[in-house]
Amino acid sequence: MNKILILGAGLMQKPAILAAKHLGYKAIVVDANKNAVAVPLADEFYPVDLKDRVSLLELAQKLNENDELKGVFTAGTDFSASVSYVAEKLGFSAHSFESALNASDKVRMRACFEKAGVPSPKFQELDESFLKQTSSYFSEINFPKVVKPCDNMGGRGCRLIRNESELSASVKHAIENSRTHRAIFEDYMEGAEFSIDSVVYNGTLTITGFADRHIYYPPYFIEMGHTLPSKVDNKIKNELIATFALGIKSLGLTCGVAKADIKYTKNGPMIGEIAARLSGGYMSGWTFPYASGMNLTEEAMKIALGLEPDYLLSNRVSLPWQPHESVKGKAQPFDLYEISNTLVSAERAWLSIPGKVKNIYGLDEVKQIYGVRDVLPRVKEGDEVDFPRNNVEKCGNIIAVGINHEQAYKSAEEAVSSITLRLETHNSKTEKFLSGSSESDEEGFPVSAFTFAPKKPVSSLDIETIAAGKGTKIPENTPVINCLPETLIPLADSLKDWNHRTLRKTLEQFDCICPNHAEIDGNKFWQAVLRGGIQGALYVADTAGNS
């Protein structure tokens, strides 16, 4: 039976394993983690580090002894260069190894863009020697800047640097998150952000997903969801696609897939990064297939197997070449096409304040909400959780589908707002968060649950404006919705927390989950609600009951 080698066995690789089976190939899966979630789906599994190209090649050669191995593939991992290395050695269809390296190392990538005149931020490469520079050197830097590892994904080690006091710790953290102990230091791009998936094939570029990204919580860049298709107007969209095409050309990508994180700034499109793989974040394997009806992973895999992506070729429509002024005059590198969408997909994440999970409520119930397709928790009872500083620290994701943006938004956000993580009491991390304190290099982070909520410790607050009087008590077993301070009543239905939950819904959920509670100090309770949402409310009530 013919085989395909799939790099990675995490959830993002599940669509690839299923696509291989649907195409009639044996799925040979490798991952350093033998307990990865998709391992049971593999026809054969081998515990190999995806960074170890030599071992991957040796395994591929062994699998190909009878010419049964037909291709190498990955999706949602940072190892497209490993794919191209093996594919190039064995003569399989793929981007060249050099071009995959260009799309894997952010310094090489930026250098390619710069040489070709493709809009992207000014940058410099950093290693640990940067931290030994004099203070006068640092004082000449024009902030804000962004620092990120040269070779990692998921936002690990990536953050905004707003001033000199945040510089050293941020650079050190980025270097620590780099496999090669290097970071890239670049200008910050201000503007709306988008994700683009595409297929590069026989001199054509087909857009297979164009989504709005919803990024929050500086100094970090936490993607709280994406919506596909984007609501951006066609003129801006076409300018972004033209810049993306020029970026792909500059990297030398010619055969396979490419994805971009790209912004539209006051100066037009600017590329954040281009990778030689399908996107993670549930876009290529979930939201785009739901919106378009096309199995993108399967079409991309056909190219890796040396087959024609026939469904893609027969269902795409032409796009015009409409570059922004910043790249006008540059030759069009590809014939442009797009796969149309008939539905709207909305992916939304939910998150937690710091602590340890005691109970999780709502996971089964939200599956019944109209339009919800997937409920994808990332944590379970007993896990340690934190307010996310990267995109792998979120607690889970909802994917909903609707006939329009409004319907998809509503379904996804209703589902997220109905999931509650109750934390264990007497946890120093939870209490530090609820006090409103932050680290010296993270001023204003994490934000409060409700945007106006005070960020100062309880001892320095004007409690009267929040809790309607010093010494307020909430009697035992009393519904807290009936105790809402007058100052907050007008805001009960307009304010929403990180998880799209209104203040009113927060209190109603509390009364449902915790109808029997001890007497609660009202000042502490309302402060905890404003700072930590329903999790703060439950924590204070549970602590009062255990004191």
Side-chain angles (χ1 to χ4, degrees):
M1 184 176 182
N2 289 335
K3 306 171 183 177
I4 183 169
L5 181 61
I6 297 174
L7 273 57
L11 182 59
M12 293 299 121
Q13 289 78 59
K14 179 180 177 180
I17 298 171
L18 296 179
K21 293 172 181 287
H22 186 255
L23 291 170
Y25 288 77
K26 199 171 184 179
I28 314 300
V29 181
V30 295
D31 198 300
N33 179 12
K34 63 182 180 180
N35 297 315
V37 64
V39 168
L41 297 174
D43 292 306
E44 294 180 20
F45 173 77
Y46 297 89
V48 181
D49 190 331
L50 303 187
K51 299 187 295 293
D52 189 348
R53 295 171 188 151
V54 173
S55 294
L56 290 169
L57 177 59
E58 290 174 351
L59 174 62
Q61 290 170 329
K62 182 178 179 180
L63 293 169
N64 199 37
E65 287 177 352
N66 296 317
D67 294 325
E68 292 182 334
L69 188 65
K70 301 301 180 181
V72 191
F73 190 79
T74 194
T77 78
D78 223 15
F79 298 99
S80 57
S82 295
V83 168
S84 289
Y85 177 80
V86 174
E88 195 169 276
K89 295 290 186 182
L90 296 182
F92 297 146
S93 177
H95 298 302
S96 72
F97 179 52
E98 282 300 309
S99 67
L101 287 175
N102 290 339
S104 300
D105 185 289
K106 293 179 177 62
V107 171
R108 288 182 61 144
M109 184 188 305
R110 287 276 185 264
C112 290
F113 295 158
E114 186 175 66
K115 182 178 180 181
V118 179
S120 69
K122 293 181 180 179
F123 72 98
Q124 69 180 102
E125 181 180 355
L126 305 181
D127 57 24
E128 292 178 348
S129 65
F130 176 80
L131 301 175
K132 299 176 183 177
Q133 297 283 353
T134 62
S135 57
S136 61
Y137 175 86
F138 293 149
S139 65
E140 294 177 0
I141 296 173
N142 292 319
F143 296 98
K145 297 287 188 183
V146 174
V147 67
K148 58 184 79 170
C150 289
D151 49 6
N152 210 332
M153 62 181 291
R156 299 174 182 88
C158 178
R159 65 162 283 174
L160 181 69
I161 303 176
R162 298 165 291 188
N163 52 59
E164 186 179 344
S165 68
E166 297 179 349
L167 183 59
S168 293
S170 302
V171 171
K172 185 174 184 295
H173 188 56
I175 291 171
E176 289 172 348
N177 277 272
S178 166
R179 293 188 292 273
T180 54
H181 307 291
R182 298 176 300 125
I184 187 168
F185 188 59
E186 60 189 34
D187 290 345
Y188 172 62
M189 299 180 289
E190 180 71 45
E193 187 163 351
F194 308 89
S195 285
I196 311 176
D197 267 327
S198 71
V199 173
V200 187
Y201 182 73
N202 283 354
T204 68
L205 176 66
T206 304
I207 303 303
T208 55
F210 193 110
D212 294 322
R213 297 185 78 199
H214 310 297
I215 309 294
Y216 298 94
Y217 312 130
Y220 302 98
F221 302 97
I222 309 303
E223 183 174 358
M224 290 301 291
H226 71 267
T227 307
L228 187 153
S230 168
K231 296 178 74 174
V232 70
D233 72 63
N234 281 334
K235 178 179 180 296
I236 291 176
K237 177 181 175 181
N238 289 334
E239 290 177 359
L240 289 160
I241 290 171
T243 301
F244 176 41
L246 292 168
I248 292 172
K249 179 71 172 180
S250 75
L251 299 176
L253 303 173
T254 60
C255 184
V257 295
K259 60 88 59 176
D261 296 331
I262 189 168
K263 286 190 172 185
Y264 200 87
T265 73
K266 64 180 181 180
N267 298 317
M270 292 191 77
I271 297 175
E273 66 175 61
I274 293 175
R277 57 171 174 82
L278 292 176
S279 61
Y282 304 104
M283 182 169 159
S284 62
W286 283 262
T287 57
F288 177 72
Y290 289 153
S292 69
M294 188 184 89
N295 188 326
L296 173 56
T297 306
E298 192 167 301
E299 294 302 294
M301 186 173 285
K302 289 176 185 177
I303 297 175
L305 291 165
L307 306 174
E308 186 175 88
D310 50 343
Y311 184 96
L312 178 140
L313 296 177
S314 62
N315 286 278
R316 62 188 186 177
V317 296
S318 295
L319 287 177
W321 176 253
Q322 293 182 340
H324 184 264
E325 291 179 359
S326 60
V327 293
K328 272 186 177 177
K330 294 188 179 296
Q332 180 176 343
F334 304 99
D335 292 334
L336 298 180
Y337 299 89
E338 182 178 29
I339 299 295
S340 300
N341 300 285
T342 56
L343 297 172
V344 177
S345 294
E347 175 266 318
R348 297 292 184 269
W350 72 86
L351 50 77
S352 174
I353 69 175
K356 187 173 183 178
V357 180
K358 178 182 179 182
N359 303 109
I360 302 178
Y361 305 102
L363 290 177
D364 291 331
E365 290 80 358
V366 299
K367 295 175 183 176
Q368 308 307 314
I369 294 174
Y370 179 80
V372 170
R373 294 287 184 92
D374 296 284
V375 180
L376 301 160
R378 298 175 62 94
V379 299
K380 60 185 183 302
E381 292 177 0
D383 284 354
E384 297 282 346
V385 289
D386 202 352
F387 198 94
R389 289 169 171 80
N390 59 58
N391 286 317
V392 298
E393 292 181 338
K394 295 175 288 191
C395 293
N397 304 78
I398 292 288
I399 300 174
V401 178
I403 60 173
N404 53 41
H405 285 82
E406 182 181 7
Q407 187 182 87
Y409 287 5
K410 181 180 179 182
S411 296
E413 293 173 5
E414 181 184 351
V416 168
S417 70
S418 300
I419 297 169
T420 300
L421 274 63
R422 190 177 197 167
L423 304 179
E424 294 184 1
T425 57
H426 305 296
N427 185 292
S428 60
K429 292 180 180 179
T430 308
E431 290 169 3
K432 180 180 179 181
F433 178 91
L434 293 178
S435 75
S437 64
S438 60
E439 301 298 328
S440 59
D441 65 334
E442 294 181 329
E443 184 178 351
F445 178 89
V447 297
S448 294
F450 298 97
T451 54
F452 78 103
K455 298 175 183 177
K456 299 177 182 179
V458 174
S459 59
S460 60
L461 284 175
D462 179 6
I463 294 297
E464 289 188 357
T465 64
I466 304 300
K470 193 172 183 179
T472 300
K473 298 291 184 182
I474 298 175
E476 63 178 334
N477 304 333
T478 298
V480 297
I481 190 70
N482 297 336
C483 303
L484 184 63
E486 291 184 8
T487 52
L488 297 179
I489 291 174
L491 305 171
D493 297 305
S494 58
L495 292 172
K496 292 186 177 181
D497 68 6
W498 322 284
N499 294 326
H500 313 286
R501 188 184 285 109
T502 65
L503 180 56
R504 184 179 303 281
K505 185 169 184 176
T506 295
L507 302 180
E508 289 173 346
Q509 286 185 344
F510 175 91
D511 288 334
C512 181
I513 292 170
C514 191
N516 301 313
H517 57 77
E519 181 181 74
I520 307 172
D521 183 313
N523 299 296
K524 290 183 179 179
F525 182 82
W526 296 113
Q527 166 69 9
V529 168
L530 298 178
R531 176 66 175 150
I534 190 168
Q535 289 182 293
L538 290 167
Y539 185 87
V540 168
D542 291 345
T543 302
N546 293 334
S547 60

